[in-house]
Amino acid sequence: GRLQADITVARDARARDIARRKQPITGTSEFPNVTEPAPKVLKVTEPLGTSSEDPLTLPKADGGHLFEALIEAAREGHSVTAMALARGIAQETCPALIMRRDAEAFEALREAADAACEAAGDKRPVAFIATLGTVADFTMRATWVRNVLEAGGFLAPVGEGVVDLDGLVAAFKASTARIAVLASSDAVYDGAALDAARALKAAGVKALYLAGKPKDDATAEAYRAAGIDGLIHAGLDMVATLRAVQTAAGIGH
């Protein structure tokens, strides 16, 4: 089992880098096409690692017949394991090597969102990006967080950038989303994030996130008090983050 253990350590480290998008997968965790149709694939009916090999019967070890039977069994394609079992030889076992694709965690997120889309009559779940300030203020973060949300199977319309809270609320309601993400620069957040958060929560946002990190603990606490439920920023486990966003949007896993 040492080989399996070493592979598990390496695989888990790789999975953490993929989840944090330190190791991107183009088209899946980075630059996904949220509107592409799902390909039709064949279903695997027999789990990997199983065998349909029939039990093998061998003669007793006398007169050379056993050796001849083993040679014939090998010619017929029987495995060494089957021959050993037929001889009653105790088998040493170890964990199986499990085949996994790098993209599986993000694929599962996408499949959950696709299933919700189908159940809703081909209406894809929406996460509204509530932009504050000017285009120069919000474009970088809005583009980044939209990419993240689309990796989770969300449509992520980007607002046009407003300071007026009535306009922000109207844009959110028009999006039909239940989830919203504030996106702008730190400077704009300092003057507008708290009021925007309160207004969006009052308008019916089920779960509200902010793209970026608070500058200190006091700011983080103020965000929570204003109704911001979570943060989305580089370095997070995006698989776990997107799973939480999907759950908030009513998407089951």
Side-chain angles (χ1 to χ4, degrees), residues 32-38 110 114 122 124 146 150 153-155:
N33 179 359
V34 74
T35 61
E36 68 180 339
R110 182 63 178 268
D114 289 350
D122 204 28
R124 183 159 292 281
R146 180 181 185 181
E150 289 181 344
F154 287 92
L155 284 178

Side-chain angles (χ1 to χ4, degrees), residues 51-103:
S51 173
S52 59
E53 187 175 358
D54 294 329
L56 180 63
T57 301
L58 295 172
K60 294 182 179 180
D62 57 3
H65 298 300
L66 173 61
F67 188 66
E68 291 174 357
L70 289 170
I71 293 173
E72 185 60 28
R75 285 198 184 104
E76 292 174 354
H78 289 280
S79 66
V80 173
T81 297
M83 297 180 204
L85 289 173
R87 290 286 294 122
I89 299 172
Q91 297 295 295
E92 182 177 351
T93 62
C94 61
L97 286 172
I98 300 172
M99 183 169 64
R100 291 194 176 101
R101 297 182 311 283
D102 286 343

Side-chain angles (χ1 to χ4, degrees), residues 86-202:
R87 290 286 294 122
I89 299 172
Q91 297 295 295
E92 182 177 351
T93 62
C94 61
L97 286 172
I98 300 172
M99 183 169 64
R100 291 194 176 101
R101 297 182 311 283
D102 286 343
E104 280 187 10
F106 280 97
E107 288 173 347
L109 291 167
R110 182 63 178 268
E111 286 172 359
D114 289 350
C117 176
E118 184 176 354
D122 204 28
K123 293 181 180 178
R124 183 159 292 281
V126 178
F128 177 67
I129 301 177
T131 52
L132 303 173
T134 67
V135 171
D137 292 322
F138 66 73
T139 293
M140 184 172 68
R141 273 189 174 144
T143 301
W144 181 85
V145 80
R146 180 181 185 181
N147 197 9
V148 170
L149 292 166
E150 289 181 344
F154 287 92
L155 284 178
V158 177
E160 297 180 354
V162 293
V163 176
D164 175 72
L165 295 182
D166 290 338
L168 184 67
V169 167
F172 164 71
K173 289 182 176 180
S175 74
T176 72
R178 303 171 66 187
I179 307 296
V181 182
L182 289 170
S184 195
S185 66
D186 291 341
V188 172
Y189 286 158
D190 285 343
L194 300 182
D195 288 341
R198 295 186 190 102
L200 286 168
K201 274 305 188 70

